[in-house]
Every structure is written in C-alpha cells, then in structure tokens.
Amino acid sequence: MMKPSCIALFLSTLYSSSTANESGCIAEVDESKDYFPDKVAPENSLHWSVEYYKTYKVVTNEAASEKYILYQCGTQPPSLDGEFAGSYAVPLDEAGVLFTTQLPFLEILGARGKIGAFLGSASWVSSPCVSDLLDEGLIEEVPDPYNVTMIDSQSLERPSFVGHVGGTELNKEIRISVSEEDENLAAFEWIKFYSLFFNLEAKANEIFDATKSRYNCAEENAALLACDNEKRPVVLWGSYSTYCGGWDVATCPNYYCEFAENCQADILHSEDQGSYYSELCYRNYMTTEEFVAFGKDADIWIYPSPDFDNAFADFGDVLSDFVSVQNEQVYDTEGSGANTWFEQRLSEPDVVLQDFCNVVGRENLSVPTPHERSWFRNVFTESVGSLGQCEDPEAPLVPKASECFALPSDYCSKGAGAGGNEEDESSAPRRISFVTAVASLALFFLTI
C-alpha cells in the first residue's frame, strides 16, 4: 500500500510540474539540460510558431514576418543566421504594452507585475489593478509612443508589445498580430505567444485548455438544445455612430458571426453596409430608413456601443416599432462597465460565448448555478456594471466564465429538447473535475 506521504508527493508532483520553466536567471549553465520543459504550440492560431532548443527558443510572428530569439537568462545568446527583430533574455523583467486589449492577456497569466509601461493615456485603461498601479507610478505612463521627444530613454529600450504593424518610436517592438486571426479561440491562443517571453508556458497551456473546453462545451450544448427547433433566433448586431453619421451593422465573417453560429442563432449582416458614405470614416453606413427595414423584425438586438440611450432618444419614434424593443430584448456591452468590453473581450471568448448563448436561449439551464452574463446587459432591465476595486494587484485576473456542464450526446434522441432542458438521472449533464480525477488516482495508489 502506498503511504499517505507518498500520495502527498504524488499530488505535489502533479501541481509542481506547472512551474518547471525557470522563473528568473540561472547562476550556472548545465549544457545537457532542457531549460524549457514546459512548451507551447499553436492549436487554433495560424499566425505564430515557436521552435525550442535547450537554452533558447525562436519565436515567429508569421503574420508580421518577424522572428525573436528568446534565450534563458544566465545563458549566452545564440549566434544564428538570418534576420531577427529582437533577442531577449527570458523571462523578461518587464515589458511595455501599447493597447488596452493586450493588458488582460498578461493579467490572466499572472504577469501584471511585469508591465513596466502603458504606451498611451492611463484614462483609456479599464482594469482596476492596472489603473491603480499607473496612479501609484508603479507602471509608467507613456502618452505618445509615436513621438520620440515624449519618450524617456528607459522606455525607448524597454521590450514592448505593440500591434501588428508596429510603427512606434520604440527600439524594441514585439509585434502582436491577434487582429489577423479569423477565429475567436485562435485570437485568444496568443496568450501562449505572450507566455513565451515570461517562461509561463505551463500556465498558458492550462488557461487555454480550460477556456477551449468551456467554449466547446457551450457550443455543443447549444447545438443539442437547438436540435428540435425549426426556427433559429435572429440577432441584430448594430449601433449608431454619431461621429460617422450612420448605422453600423454586422459584416461576416467576423467574431460576432462566429458567436452567433456557435449558439445556433442567425445574425443579420450586410456586405455593402448601406448607401450612406461617411467622408469622416471612409466607408458606408446605413441610413435610419435602411436600418429600420434591415433590423426591425429581429428577435434580439445587441448594441455593441455604450450609447444606446442617446440613440433611442434621437430615433425612438422609429426604433419603438422594433420587435426586440417591444419585447425588451435589447442588450449592450456594458455588463462590466462602459469600456471594459473593448479591453477584455478578446481575452475571454468563452465568457462572451456563454453570454451570447444565454441571450439567445441556447444555454443548459439544468445546472446547479446557471451562467450570469458579464458582458451583454439588458438595457431595459439591468444597470451598467462595474469591475469593482482592485483587491490584490499581485493576483492574476480571473475570467468570469461559468463552469460548463455538458448535455449528454443522446439529448436529442431522447426528446429532451422538446421539454426545454428537462432531464432525468440517465440524461443529466456529466462533469469530471480535476479534483475527482486526482482523488481517483490517489485511491488507486492506496490499493497498490
């Protein structure tokens, strides 16, 4: 029989494997050692790759055609043929961040403390913890990274995550091409790319696998719940732009089209966008007359902007005839605050999908705790949300996803769909948790 101490050692081994990569510099180099036992590889993403060697890794942003050498701090950087956009000792001590959309990726990884500078106005940031660190001067604010006279020498030489095209005056740009991915999980998988610069591959794998599992579970549940429905809910995705002077509606393919399809809903979309050409925005928009004809019969309206009240005040006489308005099925994206959607959406695809499926009625309700929406807020019945205060600036950002309970694969064949989430013991959703799996393994070793 395995002794309790052996079981404890076994369990600790399971958990300690996630910290195998070095968290700092090494004092002595073992030439025979693989310093990156925890590795990542893209599963969904199409635009980045990595090659591992014992003391270094070569990371490629395929979309931007740039390569980076990342060598373990304490070892010698390799001499390699070819052109490289940068060579960095990892894990990085700190990095600059150009866009607010990049912040949550680092926060979820537990690398908030590695953010040395925000390359823009602190007023753009929604994250309570990053905002506090900016206020305290622990994260430097660089308001204009495109103006070399506005950048101090430390920021010029600080490795910084920028966008797909780069273009700042910084000397050490690391390009991020999330915008080039076509699928939601592919975009989120760039969390692995970020992890490479901090030796946090194990954490990134854990986060991505859990997110992908919840995403796929919600999608599969939606398909089962829709199996006997003749009519799919119709979603209007659109908002009014005061600046551009017209109505902006969905075009597919796009991230919201994927969410709609995964939740078994039809999203209204227009390839020509309308007849009004905005000289300010250099593209077409719908006139109000066109928008009314386009969206008035939709079951649900998602308004992806924080100014629905203003639009309704200006156009309420015609918008009042919308089916979605009459049934109070209009949602904006202010469930976690006015601008948080734009900052965090890319880093929480599973949460957005769960929200979307909830809105269109494709959610498994036969669970102990149904999903609570984080992003889509009913403009008639719910108040604008908030992220609250920063409780612990050193703690990772925890996504607001709900645990997904998978419906049984024979859900439709048993006619459960007709009853709207009815279940019996044989068709109850099943889940195997990590704790259960570990306990089972421990029990097995106890019997040896």
Side-chain angles (χ1 to χ4, degrees):
M1 177 180 291
M2 180 177 277
K3 295 181 180 179
S5 60
C6 295
I7 297 173
L9 177 61
F10 165 71
L11 296 179
S12 67
T13 300
L14 288 177
Y15 285 101
S16 64
S17 64
S18 64
T19 58
N21 285 7
E22 298 290 341
S23 60
C25 290
I26 57 173
E28 297 183 4
V29 180
D30 181 351
E31 299 294 345
S32 65
K33 180 179 178 179
D34 177 3
Y35 282 96
F36 308 111
D38 293 322
K39 298 172 172 60
V40 293
E43 299 174 22
N44 295 70
S45 295
L46 301 177
H47 297 301
W48 65 268
S49 62
V50 56
E51 300 170 78
Y52 283 94
Y53 302 88
K54 286 185 177 179
T55 61
Y56 68 95
K57 38 197 171 183
V58 177
V59 180
T60 303
N61 179 330
E62 310 281 359
S65 299
E66 289 198 342
K67 290 188 174 185
Y68 309 92
I69 298 172
L70 309 183
Y71 60 95
Q72 172 58 47
C73 184
T75 68
Q76 289 296 315
S79 297
L80 303 177
D81 294 332
E83 294 186 6
F84 294 89
S87 179
Y88 304 108
V90 292
L92 294 179
D93 289 330
E94 62 173 15
V97 174
L98 180 60
F99 296 115
T100 58
T101 53
Q102 298 168 338
L103 293 171
F105 284 91
L106 299 184
E107 291 187 279
I108 292 171
L109 280 171
R112 185 187 296 117
K114 298 284 190 176
I115 302 173
F118 178 66
L119 310 172
S121 171
S123 64
W124 300 342
V125 175
S126 295
S127 165
C129 288
V130 174
S131 293
D132 286 354
L133 293 172
L134 281 162
D135 290 342
E136 295 166 10
L138 298 176
I139 294 178
E140 182 184 358
E141 179 184 13
V142 182
D144 189 358
Y146 300 94
N147 184 344
V148 69
T149 64
M150 300 286 290
I151 309 172
D152 61 34
S153 58
Q154 182 179 5
S155 292
L156 278 173
E157 298 302 323
R158 180 187 289 115
S160 295
F161 297 110
V162 298
H164 172 63
V165 298
T168 70
E169 293 291 340
L170 306 173
N171 293 331
K172 296 182 177 180
E173 291 187 334
I174 302 168
R175 296 197 192 187
I176 301 296
S177 298
V178 171
S179 59
E180 301 305 294
E181 300 287 357
D182 292 330
E183 298 180 351
N184 294 318
L185 284 175
F188 175 67
E189 197 172 15
W190 279 76
I191 195 169
K192 295 181 182 179
F193 186 91
Y194 286 105
S195 77
L196 290 160
F197 293 81
F198 304 101
N199 286 355
L200 292 173
E201 285 97 326
K203 187 66 175 176
N205 282 328
E206 175 189 337
I207 293 167
F208 180 76
D209 289 347
T211 300
K212 184 174 182 177
S213 177
R214 287 189 294 265
Y215 193 100
N216 290 341
C217 175
E219 178 184 4
E220 291 163 6
N221 280 351
L224 290 169
L225 290 166
C227 64
D228 64 340
N229 290 358
E230 295 181 1
K231 182 180 181 297
R232 296 182 8 152
V234 176
V235 178
L236 167 65
W237 184 283
S239 60
Y240 185 76
S241 172
T242 302
Y243 179 79
C244 299
W247 292 91
D248 187 16
V249 300
T251 59
C252 293
N254 218 316
Y255 72 92
Y256 39 71
C257 307
E258 181 184 340
F259 286 129
E261 183 58 36
N262 289 345
C263 292
Q264 300 295 310
D266 293 328
I267 192 165
L268 298 175
H269 58 281
S270 172
E271 302 315 311
D272 60 17
Q273 285 281 287
S275 64
Y276 169 69
Y277 181 78
S278 171
E279 297 289 345
L280 289 174
C281 300
Y282 306 105
R283 48 166 287 223
N284 282 48
Y285 290 80
M286 285 189 177
T287 64
T288 299
E289 182 179 1
E290 290 171 334
F291 183 71
V292 170
F294 177 75
K296 63 183 177 64
D297 294 325
D299 302 301
I300 297 152
W301 182 2
I302 295 180
Y303 192 95
S305 185
D307 60 348
F308 175 80
D309 288 346
N310 293 336
F312 197 75
D314 292 337
F315 305 103
D317 55 334
V318 292
L319 298 181
S320 296
D321 294 331
F322 278 41
V323 171
S324 57
V325 173
Q326 293 177 351
N327 293 334
E328 295 190 344
Q329 289 298 300
V330 181
Y331 300 82
D332 64 14
T333 53
E334 295 192 80
S336 291
N339 296 306
T340 312
W341 164 262
F342 304 104
E343 182 168 309
Q344 292 189 5
R345 171 186 67 78
L346 287 169
S347 65
E348 297 188 1
D350 51 339
V351 185
V352 180
L353 183 64
Q354 289 177 337
D355 271 23
F356 204 111
C357 289
N358 173 282
V359 165
V360 301
R362 302 292 200 214
E363 177 190 5
N364 178 14
L365 297 177
S366 57
V367 296
T369 306
H371 175 67
E372 294 185 9
R373 280 180 279 103
S374 295
W375 298 115
F376 298 134
R377 174 190 75 105
N378 189 305
V379 300
F380 295 109
T381 63
E382 296 168 346
S383 301
V384 174
S386 170
L387 289 179
Q389 303 298 313
C390 176
E391 299 295 334
D392 182 357
E394 296 183 2
L397 172 65
V398 179
K400 300 175 288 296
S402 301
E403 186 173 12
C404 183
F405 292 78
L407 290 165
S409 58
D410 59 354
Y411 180 83
C412 290
S413 63
K414 289 190 174 184
N421 279 317
E422 293 179 4
E423 60 167 311
D424 56 27
E425 185 176 347
S426 63
S427 65
R430 297 182 296 275
R431 172 178 60 94
I432 299 177
S433 69
F434 177 75
V435 174
T436 303
V438 170
S440 299
L441 286 170
L443 182 60
F444 168 76
F445 281 106
L446 278 170
T447 61
I448 294 177

